[in-house]
Amino acid sequence: MPIRVMLVDDQVLLRTGFRMVLDAQPDMQVVAEAGDGVEALEVLRAAEVDVVLMDVRMPKLDGVETTRRICSDPNPPKVLILTTFDLDEYAFSGLKAGASGFMLKDVPPGELLAAIRSVHSGDAVVAPSTTRRLLDRFAPLLPNAGKEPRHKELGRLTDREREVMLLVAQGLSNGEIAARLVLSEATVKTHVGRILTKLGLRDRVQVVVLAYETGLVRAGGQG
């Protein structure tokens, strides 16, 4: 079954461009579109969607609040935030709202397609280094930034899981973490899965956000 994608953007021409690229892929299909957040929520009630490409600046209801409402539902589709500017506060808010990552609107088609496939597979590894830079900029705005970790669930992690979490939060891929810790990539993936389960997180992006919120990683990407 192809990946079912929904496009949410108030620019019709942009949606048309994305649709042409996505529908040309054998493993993807655009099944729904919306021009604003209110319409998106209505359409999603009737459509079965795997991944939503979400603009942030839209009339009626912006992408951040729309993402928050989508992600609050049981078994929601994955959401990829689309932003015009790198290190945009809207993208940061989107990650906080539950998005699995964010991409620039002018991203090369190949990178966008890879991101959609990655998110759909559950890895949600969308430009982790860019996510880290985004959080570096906005970490001072987090309520617990710079303080000792206070998330009670962090205490459930083993020393190795905590070590893996730190590296995930610093933007390393599973392969890079495996090389750093001299482990197999499969072992690292297992550790990441356990971290997500123990902390009740949806994907790696939420691991990064939590690491900054709790002070486990400070601005600059250091633990």
Side-chain angles (χ1 to χ4, degrees), residues 101-173:
F102 74 97
M103 305 292 290
L104 298 180
K105 283 190 175 182
D106 60 356
V107 65
E111 291 186 22
L112 177 63
L113 296 172
I116 293 172
R117 294 185 180 106
S118 178
V119 166
H120 179 254
S121 71
D123 290 337
V125 184
V126 183
S129 60
T130 306
T131 301
R132 187 187 68 214
R133 293 199 308 272
L134 177 79
L135 288 167
D136 282 347
R137 174 174 173 178
F138 292 102
L141 303 179
L142 294 168
N144 298 332
K147 298 182 180 180
E148 289 300 312
R150 295 192 300 181
H151 193 287
K152 60 182 180 180
E153 301 301 324
L154 290 181
R156 300 179 60 190
L157 301 181
T158 65
D159 290 343
R160 177 64 86 185
E161 288 165 353
R162 189 183 183 92
E163 192 173 14
V164 170
M165 180 178 177
L166 279 169
L167 295 176
V168 169
Q170 290 172 31
L172 275 66
S173 67

Side-chain angles (χ1 to χ4, degrees), residues 11 20 23 33 37 41 68 73 104 115 131 139 152 162 209 213 218 223:
Q11 299 181 46
M20 291 176 62
D23 281 346
E33 294 186 29
L41 294 174
R68 183 176 294 108
D73 290 336
L104 298 180
T131 301
K152 60 182 180 180
R162 189 183 183 92
V209 173
E213 282 186 318
R218 298 185 296 275

Side-chain angles (χ1 to χ4, degrees), residues 9 20 36 69 80 85 98 112 118 123 127 151 162 196 216 219:
D9 196 294
M20 291 176 62
D36 60 67
R69 296 187 188 185
L80 276 178
F85 303 103
L112 177 63
S118 178
D123 290 337
H151 193 287
R162 189 183 183 92
L196 296 178
L216 190 63

Side-chain angles (χ1 to χ4, degrees), residues 67 82 95 114 137 174 176 199 201:
T67 296
L82 295 175
L95 294 178
R137 174 174 173 178
N174 283 355
E176 291 168 334
L199 301 182
L201 304 176

